[in-house]
Amino acid sequence: MLSSEAAMTKRYLKTSTGSKANVHRKRPAIPMIKHLTKYNDEQEKQEVLTKPIELSRVIHLIEDPLTSTMKERHIFVLKKVVKRCQNGFLLKELADIFKILNLVAEKSKDHPEYTSVLCNLLNIFRLPFLKEKTSDEVNYAQSVKESISQLGFLMRVPDAEVRNQICHSIISFYRSETPKHSVGGLHATSPGYRVQLLEQSGLAETLVLSMALLEHQHAVKLQVLHTLQILSSSSDVNCSLMLKAQGAQQVCFHMNEPDPSGQILFRSSEIIWNLLERGSKEEVITQLSNLDCIMALKEAFLYQLLNAVRHYDLQLRNDLLVIITLIAEYSKSPLIERFLGKQLILYITFPELKSHNPLVRNLKLSYNNEDFEMKTLLLNLVVVMSKDLSALQLFKEGRVVLALLHLVKPTAALPPGQSGPGSWTSVQQEALQLQALATLATLAPLMVEDYMTCQGNTSLLLLLEWCTEQDSYFGQGHSFHGTGGRGSKKAQMRYCVRLLRSMTSLGNKAINQDLFDQGAISQLLGIIMQMDGTPEEEDVFTLEIMVDIQLILSALCENNQHRKELFGAEGVKMAVHFLKMSPEKFNSGLGHNKLILSTVDCVWSCIVGCYTTEDMFLEKEGAFLLLDLLNSSPRNMHCVVLGTLLELCDNPKTMSHVMAWKGPNSVTTPALLLQLWRQEEAEMGVRRDPYGRIADPKKPILCYYQEDDDALVSLSADRPSASIMDVSENLRSKIYSVFCKLGFESLSGLSTEDYITLSIVTRYLDFKVGEVWDEITRELSQEEVRPVTPDKEALGAIAKLTEDTARRVIAEQSSMLEEQEKEDANEEKHMYTEISSYWKQQELTAQSWENFVAKTSNYKILKETKQRQENSINMSRPKPKHGEAIFHPTQIPGLQTTTFCGRVLTVESTPAKLTGGPLANTELALERVPIHGGALSKPPPVTQDPEYFKIVSVK
């Protein structure tokens, strides 16, 4: 016989859940339940155990008031559910399963007997969900998502075993394996299905909130942290949900709780790391920037710093230091106020500076990789903290600059990987030296007084001297700052020169004077020429060093006549050498464009302004090189090159060089400047007609952005307006200034287009003055201010004068165009005449050839030609003289007659009494005889110019 509860269960499961009438009919049998006796029919018991169970009936059994107190029956049925679902939960049944779980969770609060069954049900979540059809994953997605979210709410159950099981089940979502074979015709869902829906369910946020319930359950808290670590490392969505619940702050609060295993601190730091990497970095730092979190991080870091021995603990210490560094980047972080910054500075200067502070008295470094990593992180923290001006006082008190200069000092060469007793290895020492230089480049300009007190210039110049020495030192170049310096000291030189450039660019007279007194100019010139003379191929780092050295020289020599003189011939030679650089290198990508710009700046600051260096520069054709650079360089370099040339033109000797220069295609300096003017106006959008004339006499030089009245903004008196800024922002004012030195007349190599442009350049100052007054008028109109009558009349007169000037320039330009058109017409006519003469000669040559051919092919023509020749010969013979005629000599005094092969040339000679010689000043004239029909014929009479008396006779 079955027990009374088993019998009632059998009858209850046969009852329909939806029929209220059946429930009322069975109500009288309830009092008899407790008095039922056990049955011995084992067959009936087996039937009950093996019969499939419906989840809806189980829910009704637990919820029904009539059976709510039957714990044994509930547990019996729930065990059947566990056995039925031992291979995994069906997707379509998940909603009912979680209803059962919630009901059992409520019962377990008062009846611990339910806890084991609840854990068994939760344990099944380790298995993948099952589906009957492929479409079940889509059809039941919403139901599954809601069900998984309920899994987090089950953390309300106070039992530690249940909470641990929930965490294990969630972790299994990321570790479960899909069965290779189906179970009972059911198939497991795809591997990422549960993970995707878990992210959408908001379970991560619920777990973070549940940490408030785990004050006295250390093991459970550790398990929850492990779960959050996995969730945060796998998904950005989970990180966002955790941050929404203040996850970073909650985790930080619990990281210092007592834990012999040390797992809580490790898990907490890992979670914060994951949130920083996959979540919103700004949100994480904001949550960690409150006082409680900073105190928690401080305690954790100091504990690990002083007690860490294992490799694992040392890595954890460094991770905490990175988190503190990220918080320090946040400008509103109270890092300094909580004295953490002051304590960190003690460790930054250790072991370079000795201290009796108890915090570092017992601190010992093993000089291993983890300690080296901590040292680099502390140096990086200096750069981060330097953004907060309140930290500078702490740096001053902690003598941070002095400690960094200790790291910078040149060290004896050691074999790679070896170190002295209680010191860094050679590779580590190189990396720290370079990072210290990089840190000083940021910190030293903010702490000039400490830099000078510690003799920073001396240390850097000694380091530069060491960099140029030839010794056995071999740079490893393994670190970030050591890139490009393997096998040499190039990396040290690069960061040393960069630091010097940062200091000299401050314009501090004491720093620059100290460098000058120590011979920095000659030392830097020697270094840059030595680098350029080496046979090594140019690279980015070499060019960067050269650029920085030239900028340092510019900062030292600027506005100082004595230093420019000491720049001398060696400096001029260096500048000329780099000005000869091929324009093809401008776009090499290595930095040649920066090098040529720094060279021009060096010419402007170190050469121009001192007649001695200027003369040396001109002797080496420096002006020609600047003009060549102006002609070949990109547009963005024109301003500095033209400005340097303009300053150089103050030297009277420069003008002859500028006027003598000729570029490609014989372009002269005025033509080049006018070409640049046209390019500048085209870029600015100034109105010009197709011939380059002024298009609008009211706005002769106004650019497009100045024409818009809506863009006109009224500025205060101490701020320059658009018209004034235009003078310094483009090349037109510089070109006009150069022409003021060259002159506006008698300029060679100009075309009509150039003269048209020159007419505008000549009136540039007048037009600019009118433009400024026009701008004043528009500003008054915009502000609705009416000037007094005399001022208004004056403004009108100025505007009228500017417009009249522009109209005169337009008329002058039109006249130039007309003259050019006439000249073009004359040239065209002359060209046409030459072409006509050429073709006429070709026709005569062709006709002569035809006559020659005709004589050889036609006997009749040949006879006629012969007859003409004979007649011509007869006519040329002298006729017999009459006997009674008087003979007169044909020789005229002063004339000489010469016969050449049938030609008689009469040469007129100047009388000897005038020239002093018989053959002085002889003029010859020879007349061509056209060929007709291959025979000589009598030429037409030649009309002689009465101004020239020449006698040519043909006999």
Side-chain angles (χ1 to χ4, degrees):
M1 296 292 291
L2 293 172
S3 66
S4 59
E5 291 187 359
M8 180 57 70
T9 300
K10 179 180 179 181
R11 288 194 298 271
Y12 184 83
L13 293 177
K14 293 180 179 179
T15 307
S16 173
T17 56
S19 175
K20 288 290 182 180
N22 291 339
V23 172
H24 289 296
R25 283 195 297 272
K26 292 180 180 295
R27 191 180 299 272
I30 292 175
M32 299 175 60
I33 293 175
K34 294 183 180 181
H35 304 288
L36 289 176
T37 59
K38 294 182 179 180
Y39 293 97
N40 294 324
D41 191 356
E42 295 296 334
Q43 184 177 1
E44 186 177 1
K45 180 180 178 180
Q46 186 68 23
E47 180 184 353
V48 174
L49 292 174
T50 57
K51 190 171 182 178
I53 187 169
E54 296 182 11
L55 298 180
S56 59
R57 291 178 179 271
V58 176
I59 296 171
H60 192 74
L61 172 66
I62 300 174
E63 287 181 337
D64 195 339
L66 300 178
T67 60
S68 60
T69 59
M70 300 178 182
K71 293 186 294 182
E72 292 182 5
R73 185 182 304 171
H74 294 167
I75 294 173
F76 175 77
V77 173
L78 290 172
K79 286 182 179 179
K80 291 191 65 175
V81 173
V82 172
K83 185 176 181 180
R84 174 180 179 272
C85 302
Q86 61 183 350
N87 294 322
F89 294 120
L90 273 172
L91 292 178
K92 66 179 182 179
E93 295 179 349
L94 270 181
D96 292 337
I97 291 295
F98 271 94
K99 287 181 182 179
I100 294 173
L101 287 173
N102 284 319
L103 292 173
V104 175
E106 292 299 324
K107 295 243 179 228
S108 66
K109 294 179 181 179
D110 300 324
H111 305 284
E113 296 86 351
Y114 288 89
T115 302
S116 61
V117 181
L118 180 59
C119 291
N120 292 335
L121 287 172
L122 291 172
N123 189 44
I124 301 176
F125 278 95
R126 295 181 298 104
L127 303 175
F129 297 145
L130 302 177
K131 60 183 178 181
E132 296 176 332
K133 305 175 184 177
T134 305
S135 59
D136 286 352
E137 292 186 1
V138 179
N139 296 336
Y140 296 104
Q142 183 64 29
S143 175
V144 175
K145 182 170 63 176
E146 295 175 356
S147 300
I148 294 176
S149 67
Q150 294 294 321
L151 191 61
F153 290 109
L154 290 177
M155 291 293 291
R156 69 184 183 274
V157 178
D159 187 78
E161 185 180 358
V162 174
R163 290 173 173 174
N164 277 329
Q165 187 59 57
I166 292 173
C167 293
H168 286 302
S169 299
I170 295 173
I171 294 173
S172 67
F173 279 35
Y174 295 89
R175 298 178 178 175
S176 61
E177 297 181 0
T178 305
K180 297 181 180 180
H181 305 286
S182 60
V183 180
L186 303 177
H187 301 275
T189 55
S190 57
Y193 180 72
R194 291 197 304 171
V195 175
Q196 181 181 2
L197 294 180
L198 183 146
E199 295 175 357
Q200 300 175 11
S201 67
L203 180 60
E205 181 182 1
T206 308
L207 282 180
V208 173
L209 296 174
S210 69
M211 291 184 66
L213 307 174
L214 309 176
E215 292 297 331
H216 304 292
Q217 294 180 343
H218 175 78
V220 176
K221 185 180 297 182
L222 185 59
Q223 193 64 33
V224 171
L225 289 174
H226 184 203
T227 306
L228 290 175
Q229 178 187 351
I230 293 176
L231 291 176
S232 61
S233 64
S234 61
S235 168
D236 297 348
V237 177
N238 288 337
C239 290
S240 300
L241 292 171
M242 292 171 63
L243 290 175
K244 185 179 179 182
Q246 301 292 311
Q249 191 176 92
Q250 293 297 326
V251 170
C252 190
F253 286 160
H254 298 282
M255 65 166 37
N256 290 320
E257 293 183 356
D259 177 27
S261 65
Q263 289 294 309
I264 288 183
L265 182 58
F266 169 73
R267 302 289 183 192
S268 301
S269 63
E270 286 295 317
I271 292 172
I272 295 175
W273 260 112
N274 294 335
L275 293 176
L276 286 169
E277 290 180 352
R278 305 184 70 99
S280 172
K281 182 179 177 181
E282 293 76 11
E283 179 64 25
V284 176
I285 294 176
T286 303
Q287 292 184 19
L288 296 178
S289 295
N290 63 69
L291 296 179
D292 294 333
C293 288
I294 290 179
M295 288 301 298
L297 289 169
K298 171 187 172 182
E299 293 176 8
F301 174 72
L302 294 181
Y303 177 80
Q304 293 294 324
L305 179 64
L306 298 175
N307 301 289
V309 177
R310 298 177 300 174
H311 181 266
Y312 160 85
D313 295 327
L314 295 175
Q315 286 185 334
L316 180 58
R317 174 199 64 188
N318 294 343
D319 291 344
L320 292 172
L321 183 56
V322 173
I323 295 173
I324 292 173
T325 303
L326 293 175
I327 296 174
E329 290 181 352
Y330 187 54
S331 58
K332 299 180 181 179
S333 171
L335 194 67
I336 308 301
E337 290 79 354
R338 300 310 299 172
F339 304 105
L340 178 58
K342 190 171 184 179
Q343 294 174 358
L344 289 173
I345 290 174
L346 288 173
Y347 305 122
I348 291 172
T349 59
F350 181 83
E352 287 74 31
L353 301 181
K354 303 299 181 182
S355 175
H356 298 289
N357 192 297
L359 291 175
V360 296
R361 184 181 302 169
N362 299 323
L363 179 62
K364 294 182 179 180
L365 295 179
S366 302
Y367 299 99
N368 53 22
N369 290 334
E370 284 68 32
D371 288 343
F372 168 72
E373 182 181 354
M374 183 187 70
K375 187 66 177 180
T376 58
L377 291 173
L378 288 171
L379 292 178
N380 180 60
L381 183 62
V382 173
V383 178
V384 174
M385 292 177 64
S386 64
K387 299 177 183 178
D388 188 353
L389 296 181
S390 59
L392 298 181
Q393 182 61 32
L394 297 180
F395 292 155
K396 184 179 181 66
E397 296 172 359
R399 301 181 298 169
V400 174
V401 173
L402 180 60
L404 292 174
L405 289 174
H406 272 291
L407 285 173
V408 164
K409 288 181 180 179
T411 55
L414 291 174
Q418 296 186 15
S419 62
S423 61
W424 306 106
T425 65
S426 59
V427 177
Q428 292 172 343
Q429 199 165 10
E430 176 190 348
L432 291 176
Q433 183 185 36
L434 293 173
Q435 189 170 358
L437 285 169
T439 304
L440 279 171
T442 302
L443 185 62
L446 303 174
M447 304 182 67
V448 175
E449 184 178 350
D450 287 21
Y451 175 82
M452 294 298 295
T453 303
C454 299
Q455 297 182 349
N457 286 337
T458 305
S459 300
L460 296 180
L461 292 178
L462 288 175
L463 181 62
L464 270 182
E465 184 178 356
W466 173 77
C467 291
T468 56
E469 292 176 353
Q470 301 294 331
D471 55 24
S472 59
Y473 182 84
F474 185 88
Q476 299 301 313
H478 295 317
S479 65
F480 169 78
H481 298 94
T483 305
R486 181 167 177 80
S488 65
K489 305 174 185 177
K490 187 181 295 184
Q492 284 85 348
M493 182 181 292
R494 174 189 175 196
Y495 281 95
C496 182
V497 171
R498 181 184 294 183
L499 174 55
L500 284 173
R501 186 203 66 192
S502 299
M503 299 310 297
T504 54
S505 63
L506 296 175
N508 187 288
K509 294 182 179 180
I511 294 176
N512 293 350
Q513 184 64 39
D514 183 53
L515 284 171
F516 172 73
D517 293 340
Q518 297 189 51
I521 293 179
S522 59
Q523 184 177 354
L524 291 172
L525 285 173
I527 291 173
I528 192 172
M529 294 307 293
Q530 178 183 351
M531 293 183 66
D532 187 70
T534 56
E536 298 179 3
E537 185 178 356
E538 292 180 340
D539 56 10
V540 177
F541 308 109
T542 302
L543 293 176
E544 180 183 344
I545 294 172
M546 292 180 178
V547 170
D548 288 341
I549 289 177
Q550 289 184 342
L551 293 177
I552 294 170
L553 292 171
S554 299
L556 290 176
C557 298
E558 188 174 10
N559 301 324
N560 192 297
Q561 189 79 10
H562 178 53
R563 296 176 190 171
K564 290 182 179 181
E565 291 176 355
L566 291 179
F567 186 76
E570 187 177 359
V572 172
K573 180 181 177 181
M574 180 271 297
V576 170
H577 172 74
F578 287 113
L579 283 177
K580 293 180 179 180
M581 182 189 306
S582 173
E584 297 176 355
K585 293 184 177 181
F586 289 167
N587 300 319
S588 64
L590 297 177
H592 289 91
N593 54 338
K594 297 179 183 178
L595 180 60
I596 194 64
L597 276 175
S598 63
T599 304
V600 175
D601 182 66
C602 193
V603 172
W604 198 339
S605 302
C606 303
I607 296 177
V608 176
C610 176
Y611 283 119
T612 304
T613 53
E614 283 182 358
D615 291 346
M616 295 179 188
F617 185 69
L618 292 174
E619 288 176 4
K620 296 182 179 295
E621 300 181 351
F624 292 165
L625 294 174
L626 286 177
L627 288 168
D628 290 336
L629 181 61
L630 183 64
N631 184 44
S632 60
S633 62
R635 181 178 177 273
N636 53 7
M637 295 177 62
H638 289 164
C639 185
V640 62
V641 177
L642 192 57
T644 305
L645 183 64
L646 176 60
E647 293 290 334
L648 189 62
C649 286
D650 290 339
N651 189 326
K653 298 179 181 179
T654 307
M655 304 314 300
S656 59
H657 290 258
V658 173
M659 295 302 295
W661 177 84
K662 285 190 177 181
N665 301 322
S666 299
V667 177
T668 60
T669 302
L672 175 61
L673 295 175
L674 294 172
Q675 179 183 353
L676 293 177
W677 180 285
R678 289 192 293 271
Q679 293 176 358
E680 191 72 16
E681 288 193 334
E683 186 72 22
M684 296 168 58
V686 180
R687 293 184 182 180
R688 296 286 181 262
D689 67 2
Y691 300 102
R693 296 177 296 183
I694 298 174
D696 187 355
K698 295 183 179 180
K699 303 173 183 178
I701 61 172
L702 207 65
C703 55
Y704 72 93
Y705 58 83
Q706 292 177 279
E707 294 182 4
D708 189 5
D709 292 334
D710 297 333
L712 183 65
V713 179
S714 180
L715 302 174
S716 58
D718 59 341
R719 295 181 59 188
S721 64
S723 296
I724 303 302
M725 290 297 296
D726 173 75
V727 175
S728 59
E729 289 179 350
N730 58 70
L731 300 178
R732 293 191 296 181
S733 60
K734 294 181 176 62
I735 295 174
Y736 173 76
S737 301
V738 174
F739 271 108
C740 288
K741 298 180 181 297
L742 297 177
F744 295 94
E745 298 179 356
S746 302
L747 300 175
S748 61
L750 299 184
S751 62
T752 303
E753 183 182 17
D754 293 331
Y755 280 112
I756 291 174
T757 306
L758 183 62
S759 64
I760 301 175
V761 177
T762 307
R763 295 292 184 177
Y764 171 75
L765 186 59
D766 298 333
F767 291 151
K768 176 56 68 174
V769 172
E771 178 187 328
V772 173
W773 283 111
D774 179 67
E775 188 177 53
I776 294 173
T777 304
R778 288 191 294 158
E779 286 185 5
L780 292 175
S781 176
Q782 187 183 46
E783 297 175 0
E784 299 181 355
V785 176
R786 182 188 179 280
V788 296
T789 302
D791 290 344
K792 186 175 182 181
E793 292 176 355
L795 290 174
I798 293 172
K800 183 69 168 56
L801 179 62
T802 303
E803 184 177 351
D804 292 344
T805 303
R807 294 187 184 279
R808 287 197 301 271
V809 173
I810 293 174
E812 182 181 350
Q813 292 173 335
S814 300
S815 175
M816 294 178 187
L817 283 177
E818 291 177 0
E819 293 180 1
Q820 179 64 31
E821 290 176 358
K822 292 180 180 178
E823 184 177 349
D824 292 342
N826 291 333
E827 289 182 358
E828 183 179 355
K829 185 177 180 180
H830 178 70
M831 179 62 68
Y832 176 77
T833 303
E834 289 185 356
I835 294 173
S836 177
S837 300
Y838 172 77
W839 286 107
K840 183 66 175 178
Q841 185 65 30
Q842 292 294 323
E843 290 177 1
L844 292 175
T845 303
Q847 186 178 359
S848 176
W849 173 253
E850 290 175 359
N851 292 335
F852 176 75
V853 173
K855 289 189 298 179
T856 58
S857 59
N858 192 328
Y859 180 71
K860 182 178 180 181
I861 296 176
L862 181 61
K863 289 177 62 177
E864 293 176 355
T865 302
K866 184 178 180 181
Q867 184 64 38
R868 284 199 300 272
Q869 288 178 348
E870 292 176 353
N871 294 337
S872 177
I873 292 171
N874 293 330
M875 292 178 61
S876 63
R877 290 175 178 173
K879 296 179 180 180
K881 298 179 179 61
H882 195 273
E884 297 179 356
I886 301 173
F887 175 77
H888 297 281
T890 58
Q891 187 71 25
I892 301 175
L895 293 180
Q896 298 176 359
T897 303
T898 306
T899 303
F900 295 97
C901 299
R903 298 285 195 274
V904 179
L905 298 181
T906 303
V907 181
E908 179 182 3
S909 299
T910 305
K913 66 180 180 179
L914 297 178
T915 62
L919 297 177
N921 195 7
T922 303
E923 293 185 3
L924 299 177
L926 176 64
E927 181 176 280
R928 298 184 216 174
V929 179
I931 301 174
H932 295 285
L936 294 175
S937 61
K938 185 178 181 181
V942 179
T943 58
Q944 299 293 334
D945 191 341
E947 187 176 355
Y948 301 95
F949 184 72
K950 299 178 183 178
I951 299 175
V952 179
S953 59
V954 180
K955 296 183 180 180

